Amino acid sequence: MDTAQLQAFVSTIESGSVSAAAARLHLTQSAVTKRLQALESQLGETLLDRIGRGVQLTDAGQRLVPIARRILADMTLAQQAVRSAPGTVTGELNLATSHHLGLHRLPSVLSRFSRAYPAVDLNLEFLDSEEGCDAVESGRLELAVVTLPRRPSTRLLTRVIWEDPLTLCAAPDHPLTTQADLTIEHLGRHAAILPDRRTFTHRLIADALAQVDMAPKVRMSTNYLETIKMLVSIGLGWSALPRTMLDDSIVALPLDLNIHRSLGTAVHRGRTLSGPARAFLSVLEPATG
């Protein structure tokens, strides 16, 4: 069993197919297949069931996944330790962030980091915040800068960097903007444009409406806040967006549900952070303080 075989195995399950793994690893499909077959032969177990064009983990494969990821992460740390000269930071940093954070919060941080640590290869992956936390928890990624869950997994160590108050908003000509004595019950009677129900933001709003035994009437769902803002601005529904996104195209509603998101970092509690990850965290907090 070697790292090439483990890389083929992990890439196949993460990509969903042998062909996608081959593209990811810049190999032929037959090369990936041979590595998987060699790994299964050495372990004496079938790890993947080939169903159609996709793959599915067997029980043995599920047991191997966390171990394989840990071995590959340790190999990366070993390579970084050997290659780094004293006092320098080199290697890779695999970082997850959401589109909104990547556009509105991280540009100055990324610029500062790349100037301070030019020898680090930064691999930035845009994911929904929930997926980013899952990727860190599984060991696939080392660090996530995302909307933090209200009740994070016990395997995650989270740190708040920004508090992000959410403001109820609608188009200037929406009926809610002229509603006298606006209440949360009025919100429940009108269509909403929200992220999907799996997101932390959706849960915050749903929990607020649940206090009056109501649920949001979701007319349309998207996880891109910029798209939500556009849909709200043309009158398709109300929403809750960060205050920093308000402008002339949408107006704040005169009702404060006191809901906010906490934005920050998530790392695995049991993982020793690499030099690049520690360096990124050191740049992040001063740059946002």
Side-chain angles (χ1 to χ4, degrees):
M1 182 169 57
D2 58 33
T3 55
Q5 294 167 355
L6 293 177
Q7 283 178 331
F9 171 66
V10 171
S11 293
T12 299
I13 60 173
E14 290 177 352
S15 303
S17 69
V18 172
S19 59
R24 180 173 174 178
L25 296 173
H26 306 291
L27 297 170
T28 64
Q29 283 187 237
S30 61
V32 173
T33 298
K34 288 178 181 177
R35 292 182 183 186
L36 293 173
Q37 290 172 341
L39 181 60
E40 290 178 325
S41 176
Q42 290 177 22
L43 294 175
E45 293 281 355
T46 299
L47 303 173
L48 298 166
D49 286 332
R50 283 72 168 175
I51 300 175
R53 295 184 178 179
V55 293
Q56 193 167 30
L57 284 167
T58 64
D59 289 344
Q62 289 177 347
R63 292 193 295 272
L64 179 61
V65 169
I67 300 171
R69 284 179 169 146
R70 188 162 60 246
I71 291 172
L72 293 175
D74 287 344
M75 289 296 296
T76 298
L77 283 174
Q79 291 169 352
Q80 292 173 357
V82 170
R83 292 172 182 170
S84 297
T88 65
V89 178
T90 63
E92 289 185 344
L93 175 59
N94 297 307
L95 169 69
T97 193
S98 66
H99 284 85
H100 181 75
L101 275 165
L103 288 173
H104 297 282
R105 299 281 189 173
L106 285 185
S108 62
V109 178
L110 295 172
S111 175
R112 182 173 171 178
F113 178 78
S114 63
R115 290 197 304 269
Y117 302 99
V120 173
D121 294 324
L122 180 62
N123 300 318
L124 191 62
E125 189 167 341
F126 288 99
L127 298 171
D128 290 342
S129 294
E130 298 71 24
E131 295 174 332
C133 287
D134 289 344
V136 170
E137 187 173 355
S138 70
R140 185 172 73 82
L141 297 177
E142 186 174 13
L143 173 66
V145 183
V146 290
T147 300
L148 299 176
R150 297 172 72 180
R151 291 176 289 275
S153 164
T154 56
R155 297 186 183 91
L156 293 180
L157 184 63
T158 61
R159 182 163 188 153
V160 177
I161 304 296
W162 306 275
E163 291 294 353
D164 195 31
L166 298 179
T167 299
L168 297 172
C169 57
D173 59 351
H174 192 281
L176 286 172
T177 62
T178 56
Q179 175 67 53
D181 300 320
L182 183 65
T183 66
I184 193 169
E185 286 86 353
H186 292 124
L187 291 180
R189 298 178 193 137
H190 287 266
I193 311 295
L194 299 178
D196 72 53
R197 64 182 62 251
R198 296 170 297 175
T199 63
F200 305 138
T201 301
H202 184 110
R203 293 173 200 163
L204 287 171
I205 297 168
D207 288 348
L209 285 170
Q211 295 176 14
V212 292
D213 297 323
M214 300 185 80
K217 294 172 59 177
V218 179
R219 182 175 189 177
M220 204 171 297
S221 182
T222 174
N223 291 349
Y224 297 102
L225 298 190
E226 286 72 19
T227 304
I228 290 178
K229 177 182 176 181
M230 181 274 293
L231 295 172
V232 169
S233 73
I234 62 176
L236 293 187
W238 62 270
S239 192
L241 291 171
R243 292 175 186 172
T244 54
M245 296 186 70
L246 299 186
D247 58 24
D248 293 341
S249 67
I250 57 176
V251 298
L253 296 174
L255 178 63
D256 185 4
L257 298 185
N258 193 28
I259 53 177
H260 72 279
R261 308 183 306 168
S262 294
L263 313 177
T265 58
V267 298
H268 198 291
R269 190 176 294 274
R271 183 170 186 164
T272 301
L273 293 181
S274 66
R278 294 194 302 272
F280 186 87
L281 293 176
S282 72
V283 169
L284 176 62
E285 297 194 23
T288 56

